Amino acid sequence: MTNKRTTSTKRGRIQISGFDPKRVTEREGLSDWTEESGQETQSRWKRALYKFTRNRSALLGLAVVVVLSMLAVFARPITVLGLTVQPFGLAPYEPGTILYMVDPSISTWDPPSASHPMGVDGNGRDIFSRVLYGGRYSISIGFVVVLLTASFGLVYGAISGYYGGWVDEIMMRIVDTIFAFPALILALIIVAVLGGGYWQLVLAFSLFGWATYGRLIRGEVLKVKENEYVLAAKALGARDRSVIFRHIVPNAMPPLIVVASLNVGTVVIGVAALGFLGLGMPSSSAEWGTMLDSTRETLIQGPGGRIPWWATVFPGGAIFLFVMAMNMIGDGINDALDAQETGAGKQGGGG
């Protein structure tokens, strides 16, 4: 009798593995991004890290970026609200120090020497100190802008792709309007209106720079939200916010990471371009593009008939080195995450 009752109570029950409550609720945010490989479950993030650490060019680029960043941080002591938080000074002079007022034997446009490895500029300032210090502007603006734009674009694109319908239509028409104008022109207009400065440059590249990430994430979300675990989460009554940011967004992240790593270099070039046009940081600052602007009149004909090549080669070389290193890192991340399969290769071209 017992066996019969047990059997009868199980009749008519349908078990759907994709909607197993225990399986969905215990899933760690799906950010593990796991794949079944035989009897072992291998985290794709760990596999991506392993592949990245085996990429020599990517590691070289990472080393260059770390070195340049550390040189910028430790170029001169950093004081916040009267408190010295970084006491070291690798640069021998402050970036605005006029050397011939300290040492009369030094003149303007002195070529590289043992005491001044990168020479002296037209205002009598040590270029080596200025290049090290200038990394604080160029590098930090690149990372801050990408952090802000990627974060906002992630949220914007996730909402657009998840809800779809008229919400998606309106949000994507806004993105299309932004894409109708060149990004550098928009940044130039903003800086021309607000004036040059650190936060003005950050705003200029952030105000519309999120559109690329928004469209990229929106496309990824449209694909991810059709997976069975997303449908399972909805069936179990999960809130939209939880479904988007716990179940969908982690699986849409890889192409965004690739594009973000490449866009850091793009922002640095954009900041340097505005600086070269005289619309970036104040003319006395040590930002790399602004340093090039202060010496562009000497590119064809220098003082005394000689061209002070060192005044442009070293700031320009710093820009080239950093951007090239970031591109190498981006390529390494792309290979490690196999982002071509997720669509990053198709949409990652936009700066």
Side-chain angles (χ1 to χ4, degrees), residues 22 28 33 39 67 69 86 91 100-101 142 154 177 250 286 293 298 303 328 344:
K22 184 177 180 181
E28 292 185 3
W33 204 5
Q39 296 181 349
V67 170
S69 301
Q86 194 286 102
Y100 58 76
M101 296 184 65
L154 175 66
T177 303
D293 174 57
T298 65
M328 293 165 66

Side-chain angles (χ1 to χ4, degrees), residues 33-49:
W33 204 5
T34 57
E35 294 179 342
E36 297 294 336
S37 177
Q39 296 181 349
E40 298 180 358
T41 301
Q42 184 181 23
S43 171
R44 190 173 179 181
W45 289 112
K46 293 180 180 179
R47 184 159 53 86
L49 179 61

Side-chain angles (χ1 to χ4, degrees), residues 248-304:
I248 296 179
V249 166
N251 288 285
M253 285 288 289
L256 181 140
I257 295 174
V258 174
V259 174
S261 61
L262 294 172
N263 278 355
V264 172
T266 303
V267 173
V268 170
I269 291 179
V271 171
L274 292 182
F276 185 74
L277 295 174
L279 296 172
M281 299 292 295
S283 58
S284 61
S285 68
E287 192 270 323
W288 293 336
T290 305
M291 292 177 65
L292 294 176
D293 174 57
S294 63
T295 60
R296 60 179 173 176
E297 295 180 357
T298 65
L299 293 177
I300 299 177
Q301 183 64 42

Side-chain angles (χ1 to χ4, degrees), residues 74-279:
F74 294 104
R76 298 298 300 174
I78 299 175
T79 302
V80 178
L81 300 177
L83 178 64
T84 302
V85 296
Q86 194 286 102
F88 300 100
L90 298 178
Y93 305 96
E94 290 288 343
T97 300
I98 300 177
L99 299 179
Y100 58 76
M101 296 184 65
V102 179
D103 186 356
S105 64
I106 299 175
S107 61
T108 59
W109 302 121
D110 276 353
S113 61
S115 56
H116 305 286
M118 296 184 181
V120 179
D121 66 7
N123 293 312
R125 297 170 299 192
D126 182 58
I127 295 179
F128 176 72
S129 299
R130 290 174 63 78
V131 168
L132 293 188
Y133 192 88
R136 291 185 179 181
Y137 299 117
S138 300
I139 296 175
S140 63
I141 290 176
F143 282 109
V144 169
V145 167
V146 167
L147 178 62
L148 293 177
T149 53
S151 299
F152 184 79
L154 175 66
V155 176
Y156 189 93
I159 294 174
S160 176
Y162 179 77
Y163 288 104
W166 63 269
V167 175
D168 179 51
E169 188 70 19
I170 294 175
M171 297 179 76
M172 284 300 104
R173 295 299 74 79
I174 295 174
V175 171
D176 290 339
T177 303
I178 295 175
F179 280 142
F181 301 92
L184 189 60
I185 298 300
L186 291 175
L188 190 150
I189 293 173
I190 294 173
V191 172
V193 172
L194 300 179
Y198 184 92
W199 293 110
Q200 288 87 335
L201 288 172
V202 170
L203 179 63
F205 286 95
S206 300
L207 194 59
F208 302 107
W210 54 267
T212 299
Y213 302 102
R215 172 161 288 181
L216 176 64
I217 289 298
R218 180 251 185 185
E220 291 299 309
V221 169
L222 288 176
K223 294 186 298 183
V224 174
K225 75 175 185 178
E226 300 299 330
N227 291 336
E228 67 172 15
Y229 53 78
V230 177
L231 301 177
K234 291 181 181 179
L236 292 173
R239 295 182 179 181
D240 289 345
R241 183 176 61 181
S242 176
V243 174
I244 293 174
F245 295 105
R246 185 181 178 188
H247 298 284
I248 296 179
V249 166
N251 288 285
M253 285 288 289
L256 181 140
I257 295 174
V258 174
V259 174
S261 61
L262 294 172
N263 278 355
V264 172
T266 303
V267 173
V268 170
I269 291 179
V271 171
L274 292 182
F276 185 74
L277 295 174
L279 296 172

